[in-house]
Amino acid sequence: MKKPEQFTDEMLKGAFKSMHHQHIFRKKEDKTIMIDIFDFESPLDIIGSCFNAVFLTGYLKKFLLERND
């Protein structure tokens, strides 16, 4: 965490092989802009990669956009 500019969530144990989610905050005029950088890796190698491409990447993008709205 680097207040008030950014903080990072990192999965230590769970469903993903790895997950790193960075929240960056920038001031623009009288507003705050938030930038999300979300990197993840699914387990199960090739099967996980296919699942990401077909379903999970789009689902997570939609989830983050809706949550941030």
Side-chain angles (χ1 to χ4, degrees):
M1 180 176 286
K2 185 178 177 188
K3 286 185 178 182
E5 292 134 9
Q6 68 97 10
F7 72 93
T8 302
D9 304 319
E10 190 166 4
M11 184 194 75
L12 301 176
K13 183 178 181 183
F16 293 105
K17 188 174 183 180
S18 67
M19 190 276 292
H20 186 264
H21 184 191
Q22 189 174 13
H23 310 264
I24 302 168
F25 302 96
R26 299 286 183 254
K27 186 174 181 178
K28 184 173 183 181
E29 299 170 7
D30 63 336
K31 300 185 190 269
T32 301
I33 306 295
M34 183 180 77
I35 301 164
D36 267 334
I37 300 172
F38 190 83
D39 293 312
F40 68 95
E41 187 177 352
S42 294
L44 304 176
D45 299 320
I46 293 172
I47 295 170
S49 294
C50 291
F51 183 70
N52 291 350
V54 171
F55 175 73
L56 195 54
T57 300
Y59 170 80
L60 289 172
K61 181 177 181 179
K62 182 179 176 193
F63 171 78
L64 288 173
L65 289 170
E66 288 177 358
R67 185 186 74 176
N68 291 340
D69 193 30

